[in-house]
Amino acid sequence: MSKVENKKPERHVLIVDDDRDYLAAAGDSFRALSQGRWQVHLAPSAELAHKTLRAEKIELVVLVVNSPVLDIPLLLGSFGHHHPRLKKVVMMATTDEEKPVVGLEVGADLVVEKPVSPEGLKSVFTRLCELLDWAVPEGFQSVLHSVGLADL
């Protein structure tokens, strides 16, 4: 067996979309782009997404927004509450000026446009890798400054 065959995936990513065809295609694409470094989990429903999050060590969840079935703000809030270290991405069909702000206001760490080309998919994959590599600082640091009237 070669080293590639023995290598376990380093990252666990969950993609949530009720469009099963897109879900399967996105999963296959991200697996291929990661060259086996990602274990990609797929969930066509909120219920299955929650089950997967409880059963697996998911680091990143990608919520594909185009669904009347999935309540994205509710899911983001729930994921953030139950899995505070989970990185959350909203993938939208279009990213006009207001939609990304709404995604970020409800708890997304990143809002991306749904890719429609292989180049777009590679670009999104690169951004997801950067988000996965970004580390949340541990602990809390506070700085106290004294400001007097003369400083104003």
Side-chain angles (χ1 to χ4, degrees):
M1 285 186 129
S2 71
K3 289 181 182 179
V4 174
E5 291 176 37
N6 287 331
K7 190 174 183 180
K8 290 185 177 182
E10 300 166 8
R11 304 293 192 160
H12 290 263
V13 176
L14 172 63
I15 304 172
V16 184
D17 190 359
D18 65 342
D19 178 347
R20 290 176 186 265
D21 292 334
Y22 184 80
L23 189 63
D28 290 344
S29 297
F30 286 139
R31 279 185 203 100
L33 286 168
S34 76
Q35 299 176 340
R37 294 184 317 248
W38 284 17
Q39 173 69 44
V40 180
H41 304 267
L42 307 175
S45 69
E47 180 182 353
L48 190 54
H50 281 290
K51 285 182 181 178
T52 303
L53 285 169
R54 284 191 300 270
E56 303 291 338
K57 289 190 172 191
I58 303 295
E59 296 172 77
L60 171 74
V61 63
V62 178
L63 299 167
V64 183
V65 178
N66 63 343
S67 168
V69 177
L70 297 174
D71 185 339
I72 300 304
L74 183 64
L75 277 174
L76 284 171
S78 175
F79 292 165
H81 178 73
H82 295 289
H83 309 278
R85 298 184 92 27
L86 178 68
K87 295 174 181 169
K88 301 166 290 298
V89 175
V90 172
M91 186 182 290
M92 305 179 134
T94 61
T95 53
D96 61 27
E97 288 183 24
E98 290 184 19
K99 287 185 179 179
V101 172
V102 171
L104 295 171
E105 284 178 350
V106 294
D109 296 302
L110 179 66
V111 177
V112 296
E113 190 166 344
K114 189 174 180 179
V116 294
S117 69
E119 295 80 23
L121 187 65
K122 287 178 188 174
S123 176
V124 168
F125 177 77
T126 299
R127 293 182 72 192
L128 297 179
C129 288
E130 289 169 355
L131 181 61
L132 278 167
D133 290 339
W134 181 75
V136 177
E138 291 287 331
F140 176 80
Q141 181 178 356
S142 176
V143 178
L144 180 63
H145 292 283
S146 178
V147 178
L149 189 55
D151 297 325
L152 300 175

